Amino acid sequence: MNNSQDLPLKNDIAARFLPLIIGLMVYVGTLCFVFTLFILSATHLWENQLRTQITLEVPASPGASSAPLQAQVLQVLSKTPGIQQASAVPKKEVETLLQSLLGTTLPVDLQFLPVLIEVSLNGREPIDIPMLEARLKIISPQIQLIDHRPWQVQVSSLINASVVLASTLTFLVLLTALVTTTFATRTSLLIHRQVVEVLHLIGATNEYIAKQFQVHALKQGLIASAIGAAFAFLTFIGIAALLEKAGLPSTSLSSFSIQAFCVFALSPFVTGGFMMLSARLTVMRGLRP
Amino acid sequence: MSDFIAQFVGVGHQYKKGAEIFKGATFNIEPGSFHFLTGPSGSGKSSLLKMLYLGLKPTWGSIRLFGEDPLTMKPSLLPLLRQQVGVVFQEFKLLDHLKVIDNVSLPLRVRGIEAKRSYRDARELLNWVGLGDSLQAYPATLSGGQQQRVAIARAVITRPQLLLADEPTGNVDDDMAIKLLHLFEELNKMGTAIVIATHNQRLLERSPYPHLTIRRGTIIRTPKRSKP
Ligand SMILES: Nc1ncnc2c1ncn2[C@@H]1O[C@H](COP(=O)(O)OP(=O)(O)O)[C@@H](O)[C@H]1O
Ligand SMILES: [Mg+2]
């Protein structure tokens, strides 16, 4: 009936702050963790593109069609090892891109825009960029080759740095929750030492006494972190809505949301479990003669 | 396994900032026996009981409880020894945050007995000691005599092998004292060894049981006498 209340733990004034701290920690911790996951999943695609794509700019000659030049370039590309596919970006796409940047009011003469050729590398064979560049310059000295790959190194070190930062924060948050629980349990054990003494004298084992603290810590942890995680989830939804508004493709976000939801849903159990364990260890250690 | 419930040989205790309580207390408690522990106030009755329920370590001498040496046995096994002993503490030591019924059923819960049975036994016993109307009360709201009866109920509910009672009739009138003595006698008939520390003269006079008397740091045993 009241198996977990042989010690008056519910009334501990000293431990009142614990749920608040745990709730806050779970809020910050889950958001950090989800942020890490988000960066990892969102940048994976992007990083991959940087690694496997180069772009060519073929100048347009006013009046004349650029089609023959294009054909020559594509032929050179098809003979170059390491290339999987190459194709010109359609004029229509360039137009929309420009309009989204400059607005529709500005008249843009597409004739004067260079043709962009997207080249995907197959990633299996190395590609000899200087050689390719030299061959292209023979066709037309104005052809520009843009290699995105040097960027990739910087982007990935940036990503790595933020992942390390976010996971360090997650770890620190967990650690804080653990230390706080340990501290609160130790205080509570001290406050209730007379009750603990009576329990011992009437034959209670250390396990029985520890169980009281464990059940209490588990309950507290579950409730506090469920509230923290719920708020974190709301925050996440808000941020996701903002990102979507800012133009992030909603498909990548919605598939990621499932992962995020799992993190938020599981965090109370993980936190509660950790708190239970830390309460047990603290009590068992505190009761050792 | 020894034949004695408790064996004390040359036991003494020295409080850190106090007197030396015993020089050498030597006595045995046999299974099913009944003893009064007497001696003037401050002679060490409570201290002796404390050593019996493993709440106080002797400074010298040796103790055996149910054949085991509590000083050298694994600490994790001490609860098993304590579970054989019921104690009525002089200052009751009831848990103030628990209702009377929860206090009395606590020793059963601690032993892993299911709640339903614990509560049934506790209710029965509390009815018997005249507290059937106070099951849901908190100890602090009861009189000294009522609290004493709650403490007794908690000590006997497990039908321990050894029952230690420290001045268990100090707060009740003589009629209730006689009734409580009957409760201890009932328990004793079922095989529980009993040691009652008391200086209630009427109780001592009307009972035939042997006395363990503390005198000048030793224990003197006065044998059973026939009922007057
Ligand atoms: N915790 C303690 N610290 C120091 N002295 C104590 C302590 N408990 C009891 N004493 C002393 O030990 C002596 C015996 O006390 P006690 O065992 O309570 O005697 P009794 O129960 O016969 O009245 C007393 O002189 C008392 O002052
Ligand atoms: Mg005393």
Side-chain angles (χ1 to χ4, degrees), chain A residues 1-3 5-9 11 194-208 212 289, chain B residues 53-55 75-76 79-80 82-83 85 87 89 93 95 97-98 102-103 106-107 109-111 115 119 154:
Chain A
M1 199 146 41
N2 69 345
N3 226 5
Q5 289 159 25
D6 291 339
L7 277 152
L9 301 176
N11 312 327
Q194 279 170 350
V195 178
V196 168
E197 192 208 339
V198 173
L199 287 174
H200 267 151
L201 288 180
I202 63 176
T205 56
N206 288 352
E207 279 79 9
Y208 183 88
Q212 311 258 323
Chain B
Y53 62 74
L54 307 179
S76 62
L80 293 180
R82 288 200 176 110
Q83 287 179 7
V85 184
V87 187
F89 302 97
K93 292 191 195 288
L95 300 185
H97 64 280
L98 293 184
D102 291 322
N103 262 289
L106 183 60
R109 275 207 300 289
V110 158
R111 286 158 180 74
Y119 282 107
R154 185 181 67 182

Side-chain angles (χ1 to χ4, degrees), chain A residues 93-108:
Chain A
E93 221 170 273
V94 179
E95 195 180 11
T96 12
L97 183 70
L98 279 175
Q99 274 172 356
S100 73
L101 289 173
L102 304 173
T104 45
T105 46
L106 220 63
V108 178

